[in-house]
Amino acid sequence: MGLSKTIWAAPSEIIRTQAPEHPVMVFAPTVLQATARRFIAGFPGMVTYAVKSNPDEMVIENLVAAGVQGFDVASPAEIDMIRRLAPGAALHYNNPVRARGEIAHAVAAGVKSWSVDSVSELDKLIEMVPPLGCEISVRFKLPVAGAAYNFGAKFGATAELAAVLLRRVAAAGFVPSLTFHPGTQCTDPMTWDAYLRAAAEICETAGVPAFRLNVGGGFPSHRQPGEAPALEAIFTLIDRVATEAFGSARPKLVCEPGRGLVGDAFALITQVKAVRDGVHVFLNDGVYGGLTELPIVGNIERIEVHTPEGKPRSGELVGRVVFGPTCDSVDRLPGDLPLPADLAEGDYVIFMGMGAYSSATNTRFNGFGQMTTVTALSLNG
Ligand SMILES: *Cc1c(COP(=O)(O)O)cnc(C)c1O
């Protein structure tokens, strides 16, 4: 189809001229760069990008072009890719559990910032990482909600343990810092409020001032119809509460958004394979493909439906059960998805805000998942 050679105007042009039979990820570099500039202008500290949310090389290159100078990496493969695409960028190795071989790889690659949430993993770092000029951030967690799902279920020390770890980091000659992740798609800014105040208490208990405080990712993308989430309101709150909580001992701030940076820069074009007996909608993509996350994080209802001619359908919205293409009964979107009543076989359903945790986790299960990525000037229309 020659899809990768062209910059399209918008998804409707791709539909009209290419009639794609497989899912298409549409990337708008201008949207990504604008979001990156918004973070850099508005966030009161350093903006880094969580590579796992979308490691597409075009994404990395556009973020670098927009001024992003640091990356949250979680594996040797991510470290090597960023070293290749952005040789001067800071690498923050913030996966708190690492095999010894992975630590050795990162030391050799010049990683100078690490995170940790346990005594055993800190012992490994103290043993293997030369401390001079090297930062170790203690990752802590709180029993708070506010996000689409709770990242504290896997990583994060209690506040009590975090104070012990922070003291040990400083005693071993590393630069002591703190980090947390409020949980992905966090739409309640008060979650950051609670974490910032807890961070100040941990420093107080430890008797160790934090050099930096990394406030994580978790910044929401635009998944529902209506207004986009107000990123600036979150930035302002973080700035105010950091000063209130730490006073003159305020650490330098870092953030590491994945979804909040890349989510809205992609739309996913899927096609209706069938409307089975007028009821169930079968798409050519599902939870083993680009829509993996929907059963965990919730449906994206910022959707456009186009006819094969690329015209928007505007029928009244009715809730439909939507299945993906595989023969696995798990391959179903949660609950009902609001779709136009006049939806028909061959129509295209475009999911907006699909940049994060989509192409990165796409599989070829059951022979599906043949996804292309193309570039467009705009994702609207
Ligand atoms: C996944 C991850 C992020 C990015 O989270 P988003 O919710 O996509 O912003 C940031 N930091 C760490 C340590 C992560 O594991």
Side-chain angles (χ1 to χ4, degrees):
M1 282 197 290
L3 276 177
S4 61
K5 297 274 187 284
T6 313
I7 297 180
W8 302 93
S12 59
E13 189 192 12
I14 299 166
I15 291 169
R16 206 173 56 241
T17 63
Q18 305 298 309
E21 289 175 4
H22 298 288
V24 180
M25 271 290 176
V26 188
F27 172 42
T30 49
V31 174
L32 181 63
Q33 291 209 22
T35 310
R37 293 205 181 89
R38 213 172 137 194
F39 265 90
I40 290 167
F43 182 77
M46 181 184 192
V47 177
T48 67
Y49 172 63
V51 174
K52 80 169 183 294
S53 59
N54 189 331
D56 190 317
E57 296 196 357
M58 286 192 297
V59 168
I60 307 299
E61 283 162 358
N62 276 279
L63 289 173
V64 170
V68 172
Q69 293 174 344
F71 293 86
D72 162 36
V73 290
S75 60
E78 288 186 354
I79 289 169
D80 293 348
M81 179 184 64
I82 298 301
R83 272 283 174 266
R84 178 165 55 81
L85 297 177
L91 294 171
H92 297 173
Y93 193 175
N94 285 348
N95 180 346
V97 177
R98 311 164 187 88
R100 283 171 202 273
E102 292 169 338
I103 297 172
H105 188 103
V107 169
V111 168
K112 295 281 187 226
S113 178
W114 311 68
S115 78
V116 85
D117 67 354
S118 63
V119 176
S120 58
E121 296 308 294
L122 177 55
D123 283 345
K124 277 193 206 167
L125 294 184
I126 290 174
E127 195 186 309
M128 296 186 64
V129 181
L132 189 69
C134 219
E135 170 184 60
I136 297 182
S137 301
V138 175
R139 178 157 167 185
F140 70 100
K141 66 175 168 191
L142 295 178
V144 295
Y149 71 88
N150 179 11
F151 272 31
K154 184 165 180 183
F155 293 130
T158 61
E160 214 176 2
L161 175 59
V164 174
L165 292 170
L166 193 65
R167 230 179 282 131
R168 251 185 91 124
V169 166
F174 291 91
V175 176
S177 290
L178 282 174
T179 183
F180 61 85
H181 193 300
T184 202
Q185 188 68 14
C186 184
T187 47
D188 180 3
M190 289 311 284
T191 310
W192 277 278
D193 184 301
Y195 268 100
L196 287 160
R197 293 182 198 280
E201 275 171 31
I202 290 167
C203 292
E204 184 95 6
T205 310
V208 175
F211 176 65
R212 294 203 289 190
L213 173 59
N214 184 330
V215 303
F219 298 87
S221 65
H222 191 186
R223 299 169 67 89
Q224 302 305 327
E227 293 281 295
L231 291 175
E232 281 74 13
I234 302 175
F235 300 153
T236 305
L237 177 139
I238 289 172
D239 193 28
R240 173 176 59 78
V241 178
T243 298
E244 282 175 19
F246 286 93
S248 59
R250 173 172 155 154
K252 291 179 202 293
L253 299 180
V254 180
C255 68
E256 50 184 15
R259 183 192 307 283
L261 262 176
V262 79
D264 293 338
F266 285 76
L268 174 65
I269 302 177
T270 65
Q271 190 172 30
V272 177
K273 295 178 68 173
V275 185
R276 188 172 62 181
D277 289 341
V279 186
H280 294 147
V281 174
F282 280 68
L283 297 180
N284 65 353
D285 201 4
V287 310
Y288 291 99
L291 302 169
T292 317
E293 239 207 357
L294 273 49
I296 309 165
V297 177
N299 277 334
I300 285 187
E301 294 185 2
R302 199 157 71 90
I303 285 172
E304 279 181 24
V305 177
H306 288 223
T307 67
E309 295 75 41
K311 295 233 161 47
R313 284 223 191 261
S314 52
E316 188 193 339
L317 296 178
V318 290
R320 303 274 204 145
V321 172
V322 176
F323 291 105
T326 72
C327 291
D328 187 335
S329 52
V330 165
D331 194 3
R332 187 206 142 150
L333 301 191
D336 290 348
L337 195 68
L339 291 167
D342 51 347
L343 182 85
E345 178 186 336
D347 279 359
Y348 289 91
V349 178
I350 309 169
F351 292 85
M352 301 296 170
M354 282 299 302
Y357 311 109
S358 49
S359 45
T361 49
N362 182 45
T363 78
R364 300 304 303 261
F365 180 46
N366 227 174
F368 298 100
Q370 182 182 325
M371 177 187 279
T372 37
T373 300
V374 304
T375 305
L377 294 174
S378 167
L379 299 177
N380 300 116

